[in-house]
């Protein structure tokens, strides 16, 4: 999987406004109504991560999830990061998490 250049990254970020770029990573926070829902979100993310063979870093803090995406094998951002980011946004919406 090829690393994306800055223009491609900027263009793709417009599709996922809840995410922001930090160097070779994109990040977002999800706030769930409660801890159990946060864990349900994590489990749903795990399912999609396995399906894509692409895995986020997840920092679980009570009902806040801090998510980081990058493509370790490519040493930067690739299309896989944006595919998974979109699926994560859908999962957050499904759980009425913001
Ligand atoms: C061997 C396996 O395909 C790789 O290690 C996969 C697994 N999940 C991954 N997840 C992420 N975020 N980046 C990778 O480069 C990656 N590579």
């Amino acid at each position: 999987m090829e690393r994306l250049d800055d223009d491609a990254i900027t263009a793709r970020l417009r599709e996922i406004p809840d995410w922001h770029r930090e160097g070779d990573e994109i990040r977002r926070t999800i706030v769930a109504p409660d801890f159990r829902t946060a864990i349900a979100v994590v489990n749903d993310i795990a399912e999609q991560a396995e399906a894509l063979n692409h895995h986020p870093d997840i920092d679980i803090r009570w009902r806040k999830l801090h998510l980081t995406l990058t493509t370790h094998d490519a040493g930067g951002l690739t299309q896989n990061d944006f595919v998974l980011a979109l699926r994560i946004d859908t999962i957050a919406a499904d759980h009425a998490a913001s």
Side-chain angles (χ1 to χ4, degrees):
M1 182 66 71
E2 281 301 303
R3 286 181 59 162
L4 298 170
D5 65 20
D6 288 344
D7 291 346
I9 291 166
T10 303
R12 281 169 174 73
L13 276 172
R14 287 192 203 101
E15 307 301 315
I16 48 171
D18 290 315
W19 295 77
H20 67 276
R21 179 181 185 183
E22 289 191 26
D24 285 332
E25 301 174 334
I26 56 172
R27 297 177 179 214
R28 82 157 281 184
T29 296
I30 295 175
V31 180
D34 50 52
F35 181 68
R36 285 183 187 279
T37 304
I39 299 305
V41 169
V42 170
N43 278 306
D44 285 352
I45 291 172
E47 204 171 307
Q48 293 306 315
E50 285 293 283
L52 291 170
N53 188 31
H54 197 72
H55 304 81
D57 297 343
I58 305 173
D59 178 359
I60 301 170
R61 301 186 181 202
W62 184 34
R63 63 196 188 98
K64 273 190 187 168
L65 303 173
H66 300 287
L67 300 160
T68 301
L69 286 170
T70 190
T71 302
H72 304 291
D73 295 346
L77 287 164
T78 68
Q79 181 65 1
N80 279 342
D81 297 305
F82 293 89
V83 169
L84 183 53
L86 205 55
R87 294 194 188 185
I88 288 170
D89 290 352
T90 301
I91 291 163
D94 289 349
H95 287 276
S98 58

